[in-house]
Amino acid sequence: MISRRGFLGLLLVAGCGVEVSGERLASGLPLPPKFARPLVLPKTAQPTSPGRYVVTQRPARMEIIPGTTTEIWGYDGTWPGPTFDLRRGEAAVVTIRNELTVPTSTHLHGGVTPADSDGYPTDLVVGSVRPQHAHGGYTLHDRTKDYVYPLDQPAATLWYHDHRMDFTGPQVYKGLAGFFLIRDDEEEKLGLPAGDRELPLMICDRSFEADGSFGYPALDPTLLLRHGVRPEFMEGVVGDVVLVNGVPWPYREVEAVRYRLRLLNASNARRYRLALRPGGSFTQIGSDQGLLERPLTRDTITIAPGERYDVIVDFADYPVGSHVTLTDLLGGDVMRFTVTRKARDDSRVPARLTNPQPVDDPVARRTFDFRVDDGAWTINGNPYLPGRSVAAPRLGTTEIWRFASDFHHPVHVHLGRFKVLGREEQGWKDTVDVRPYETVEVAVRFDGYRGRYMMHCHNLEHEDMAMMADFDVV
Ligand code: C2O
Ligand code: CU
Ligand code: CU
């Protein structure tokens, strides 16, 4: 599946400290100017009755590159999909209707969700074409499925996205992703910046064909018959346009006050090392799974696919009229803020954000080795096989999971929340960027539900090419 030469060449480059992940896919049209269009915020999902939502997956056309339109596949025909803005413990039932050609599975990333609503890759909602390749063991729902989200978990920035077996990469790339925010009383009491001073920012990259359509190196562009990408993109698909909430290199006017930025890397394979230009720092208040115990000042934030960072930026540190660029030290600019005027700021960033949440004594240790093996992306030497379970942690316990790798693998665990041991990351997380030839240990706790869940690499091309494994919470 991968040319040995291409892969080894990449490892050599990575070894020299240059960070690349896959080949960059060049667009076939002139790239749009930077900072020319305003940031757009996704609309908020509205219930049809209390706690009930209906979302229709359908194609739509969007003007992403000025002067041309792009077909997207979106939740309610939008990209990003509607933002769910809900409170802890307020259960939601989301009916997904599939009006696409392809089957889908919807996963709430970071959610403590019963297994049958977790978006298992072969638990599919069928669209207008019945899948040819679906073998035994697939569950097929005709057009709709109700996903139940109890949301009994602390305030956090979650996101939802497609999780179809073998095709997650191209289907997320087409637009099947959105924010899912959980709020709670504890967070609300803090007095953090809120309202229009709270910005969810979905950062991702894409490439465009000359006709404006998304460029993706799928072996089968219909995504119906055959999965996979052209061999030179096996390491992951990286585009040459960086977008925030679906707008290429947008700008946003801000007042000279504190803002809360909920950063999400929704890219298939690209990592960012975010910094502010001309200077300044981020105050990190939250991680994947919610608030940190106390705020942390960071000059840069390295964010891998699937990760979230919740940060405060105080634009009062910059003179009115200045431009503050959110830039990526690994690849170029992302977006720009323009400080327009002074304003009153009643927000606070308290020194203590949440109660200490110590890690329990682990009851087991397991090692998972993420590497390329015989042309496939594997975990402990095996490509993904639905139903083959690699671990059976007990509900309510903590285990040490040790991830080893040969490459950059952003490892994500469903259901469990973990603390990364011996590295700079703070707080509870669900995704950790395991670096080439690194071994990372996490203390992962399984709460919520028994059942079949999964872990996988969140480089979506690796995921689609089998770097995934099931585990059973018992
Ligand atoms: Cu965000 Cu299993 O994925
Ligand atoms: Cu997930
Ligand atoms: Cu990977």
Side-chain angles (χ1 to χ4, degrees), residues 400-454:
I400 303 289
W401 283 16
R402 184 170 208 266
F403 304 129
S405 85
D406 59 354
F407 193 71
H408 266 116
H409 296 297
V411 175
H412 170 48
V413 180
H414 287 210
L415 188 79
R417 51 172 41 207
F418 56 71
K419 286 206 169 159
V420 182
L421 306 177
R423 271 185 23 176
E424 76 280 11
E425 283 101 329
Q426 302 288 315
W428 292 103
K429 289 178 60 61
D430 53 48
T431 308
V432 60
D433 189 26
V434 183
R435 299 176 284 227
Y437 303 106
E438 188 189 24
T439 298
V440 177
E441 285 193 339
V442 303
V444 55
R445 189 177 163 86
F446 299 93
D447 275 321
Y449 306 93
R450 294 186 174 84
R452 175 149 298 170
Y453 292 91
M454 51 197 355

Side-chain angles (χ1 to χ4, degrees), residues 9-307:
L10 194 83
L11 289 181
L12 287 177
V13 175
C16 301
V18 182
E19 315 226 16
V20 257
S21 151
E23 205 130 315
R24 237 186 241 196
L25 187 56
S27 289
L29 43 66
L31 300 188
K34 290 184 179 169
F35 320 132
R37 292 174 58 207
L39 178 76
V40 171
L41 297 178
K43 71 173 171 77
T44 304
Q46 298 300 330
T48 50
S49 62
R52 304 253 356 176
Y53 296 80
V54 179
V55 172
T56 303
Q57 300 174 311
R58 55 181 172 82
R61 297 200 79 86
M62 253 176 92
E63 186 174 344
I64 299 172
I65 304 289
T68 176
T69 60
T70 304
E71 184 186 89
I72 61 129
W73 292 353
Y75 295 98
D76 282 346
T78 63
W79 182 54
T83 298
F84 286 83
D85 194 334
L86 298 173
R87 295 191 73 83
R88 174 173 194 167
E90 270 180 20
V93 178
V94 180
T95 302
I96 295 284
R97 285 191 54 82
N98 182 359
E99 292 182 359
L100 302 168
T101 47
V102 297
T104 63
S105 176
T106 301
H107 170 58
L108 176 56
H109 180 131
V112 178
T113 305
D116 58 359
S117 286
D118 196 49
Y120 193 73
T122 58
D123 185 11
L124 297 170
V125 182
V126 175
S128 59
V129 180
R130 229 178 145 77
Q132 306 272 310
H133 61 280
H135 8 86
Y138 280 55
T139 306
L140 303 181
H141 304 266
D142 192 23
R143 293 295 191 149
T144 73
K145 174 176 161 82
D146 289 351
Y147 291 83
V148 178
Y149 300 127
L151 306 183
D152 185 13
Q153 61 187 107
T157 304
L158 311 186
W159 64 302
Y160 63 102
H161 61 77
D162 189 61
H163 218 292
R164 176 186 169 200
M165 178 79 179
D166 296 336
F167 293 90
T168 295
Q171 296 194 175
V172 170
Y173 198 93
K174 279 277 217 173
L176 291 172
F179 277 103
F180 200 113
L181 312 179
I182 303 178
R183 302 180 190 275
D184 64 13
D185 298 341
E186 183 194 22
E187 182 191 67
E188 216 146 76
K189 280 198 290 236
L190 298 175
L192 299 169
D196 56 13
R197 295 177 184 178
E198 178 194 324
L199 304 174
L201 303 176
M202 179 188 284
I203 304 171
C204 65
D205 57 343
R206 294 291 184 268
S207 153
F208 294 84
E209 304 285 358
D211 64 0
S213 59
F214 283 134
Y216 188 86
L219 294 177
D220 165 23
T222 69
L223 308 182
L224 287 167
L225 301 169
R226 184 169 173 211
H227 80 283
V229 292
R230 298 204 303 269
E232 62 272 33
F233 294 98
M234 166 118 184
E235 288 96 358
V237 174
V238 176
D240 56 0
V241 177
V242 173
L243 309 100
V244 183
N245 296 347
V247 183
W249 298 294
Y251 73 86
R252 172 79 180 192
E253 294 185 344
V254 292
E255 296 175 326
V257 296
R258 280 184 283 270
Y259 278 74
R260 177 179 186 179
L261 310 180
R262 296 180 184 256
L263 304 168
L264 157 66
N265 182 355
S267 308
N268 280 32
R270 188 186 187 119
R271 300 160 64 251
Y272 303 83
R273 185 158 302 145
L274 300 172
L276 296 167
R277 215 181 47 235
S281 55
F282 306 95
T283 303
Q284 187 191 350
I285 55 165
S287 189
D288 301 336
Q289 286 279 317
L291 293 170
L292 306 184
E293 288 175 28
R294 53 183 64 82
L296 208 69
T297 305
R298 291 188 183 281
D299 293 336
T300 63
I301 285 177
T302 303
I303 186 168
E307 285 189 300

Side-chain angles (χ1 to χ4, degrees), residues 235 370 377 407-411 456-459 461-463 467:
E235 288 96 358
F370 289 71
W377 296 105
F407 193 71
H408 266 116
H409 296 297
V411 175
H456 58 87
C457 179
H458 220 288
N459 175 316
E461 283 71 39
H462 297 190
E463 175 181 341
M467 195 167 252

Side-chain angles (χ1 to χ4, degrees), residues 254-424:
V254 292
E255 296 175 326
V257 296
R258 280 184 283 270
Y259 278 74
R260 177 179 186 179
L261 310 180
R262 296 180 184 256
L263 304 168
L264 157 66
N265 182 355
S267 308
N268 280 32
R270 188 186 187 119
R271 300 160 64 251
Y272 303 83
R273 185 158 302 145
L274 300 172
L276 296 167
R277 215 181 47 235
S281 55
F282 306 95
T283 303
Q284 187 191 350
I285 55 165
S287 189
D288 301 336
Q289 286 279 317
L291 293 170
L292 306 184
E293 288 175 28
R294 53 183 64 82
L296 208 69
T297 305
R298 291 188 183 281
D299 293 336
T300 63
I301 285 177
T302 303
I303 186 168
E307 285 189 300
R308 287 88 69 211
Y309 277 82
D310 205 332
V311 302
I312 306 291
V313 173
D314 192 352
F315 291 104
D317 293 345
Y318 305 89
V320 167
S322 51
H323 297 308
V324 182
T325 304
L326 180 67
T327 193
D328 166 28
L329 301 179
L330 306 176
D333 292 337
V334 175
M335 69 172 289
R336 184 154 91 179
F337 299 94
T338 301
V339 184
T340 56
R341 61 186 188 96
K342 287 202 176 339
R344 192 189 146 107
D345 192 353
D346 295 324
S347 73
R348 280 169 298 146
V349 183
R352 175 155 227 113
L353 297 166
T354 187
N355 295 325
Q357 296 150 318
V359 171
D360 285 353
D361 287 339
V363 300
R365 297 183 148 263
R366 305 178 201 268
T367 298
F368 299 105
D369 202 10
F370 289 71
R371 59 187 66 239
V372 75
D373 202 348
D374 243 347
W377 296 105
T378 63
I379 300 176
N380 285 353
N382 291 315
Y384 182 58
L385 182 68
R388 176 170 59 201
S389 174
V390 297
R394 298 184 74 82
L395 185 69
T397 66
T398 297
E399 299 193 350
I400 303 289
W401 283 16
R402 184 170 208 266
F403 304 129
S405 85
D406 59 354
F407 193 71
H408 266 116
H409 296 297
V411 175
H412 170 48
V413 180
H414 287 210
L415 188 79
R417 51 172 41 207
F418 56 71
K419 286 206 169 159
V420 182
L421 306 177
R423 271 185 23 176
E424 76 280 11

